[in-house]
Amino acid sequence: MAKTPKATPVPAGATPSRALGEAMYWLLKSEPDVFSWEMQVARGAKGEPWTGVRNYQARNFMRAMRIGDLGFFYHSNIGKEVVGIVRVIALAHPDADDTTGTWQCVDVEAVCALPKPVGLADVKGNPSLAKMALVTSMRLSVQPVTPAEWAEVCRMAGLDAAALTPPIAAGSKPRAKAKS
DNA sequence: GCCAACGTTGGC
DNA sequence: GCCAACGTTGGC
């Protein structure tokens, strides 16, 4: 297993400065036969530590996550579609499955399922999503999503993004309302 | 199951 | 510090 490079402590992009309460969006991949959206939902408000990430870039993105950030839950390998939305409920902390001290995870809870899952093919077929990391960085398992991409995928999913977007005011809880 | 992409490792 | 070998991810 990789040993942490000595000069690591503040990897580029690990802690982008942003205004308190300013939301960022993410996409988290999981192989559904290992950990599925249904399992995430079953965890309820307790959420789930996003363990198993063994890639520095992905880890650094998790370090950049803040409580209340929203992310797409993507089923890789099987399904290949965005199936739900999760919210970060715990900042990056050591991955209990990792004995080297190198890897970390955040905790996320399910917010809502997408009324209509958005497949990888759908994303690739949408020119406005051509620059999405899902397309350009196929192997990256934790990736940032721009607000525009977030809105577009939500639109494709039949979800009113505005209904769940604003974690805005510090300490306020984002609404978890899926449009049904 | 295959294989392309790409990140990591380790020899030099 | 370069770069070839290797391992893994994940689409197909």
Side-chain angles (χ1 to χ4, degrees), chain A residues 2-169:
Chain A
K3 197 174 170 308
T4 312
K6 237 201 332 220
T8 281
V10 186
T15 19
S17 59
R18 53 172 146 148
L20 189 64
E22 182 185 347
M24 277 198 151
Y25 301 104
W26 311 96
L27 182 146
L28 308 177
K29 294 183 182 177
S30 186
E31 300 183 27
D33 52 346
V34 177
F35 187 76
S36 68
W37 168 250
E38 288 71 26
M39 294 164 78
Q40 178 71 59
V41 169
R43 295 292 191 274
K46 271 190 57 182
E48 174 75 8
W50 203 260
T51 57
V53 172
R54 296 294 181 269
N55 170 281
Y56 289 106
Q57 218 186 336
R59 181 200 63 181
N60 294 344
F61 285 133
M62 288 199 290
R63 285 181 172 175
M65 292 181 187
R66 296 293 173 259
I67 305 287
D69 280 359
L70 299 175
F72 288 128
F73 191 113
Y74 176 79
H75 275 168
S76 62
N77 281 320
I78 302 169
K80 279 166 287 183
E81 55 187 8
V82 180
V83 291
I85 288 174
V86 292
R87 173 171 45 225
V88 175
I89 58 170
L91 298 176
H93 58 86
D95 180 333
D97 298 345
D98 168 46
T99 53
T100 69
T102 302
W103 305 111
Q104 297 184 310
C105 58
V106 294
D107 292 5
V108 297
E109 68 172 349
V111 173
C112 65
L114 298 191
K116 182 162 155 276
V118 177
L120 179 62
D122 301 323
V123 170
K124 286 184 170 173
N126 185 332
S128 65
L129 298 178
K131 291 199 183 136
M132 241 185 123
L134 189 63
V135 178
T136 62
S137 307
M138 176 178 91
R139 296 183 32 194
L140 188 59
S141 62
V142 176
Q143 43 184 258
V145 173
T146 68
E149 291 162 353
W150 181 266
E152 178 62 4
V153 173
C154 285
R155 189 194 61 76
M156 294 165 78
L159 192 72
D160 179 6
L164 53 75
T165 295
I168 297 310

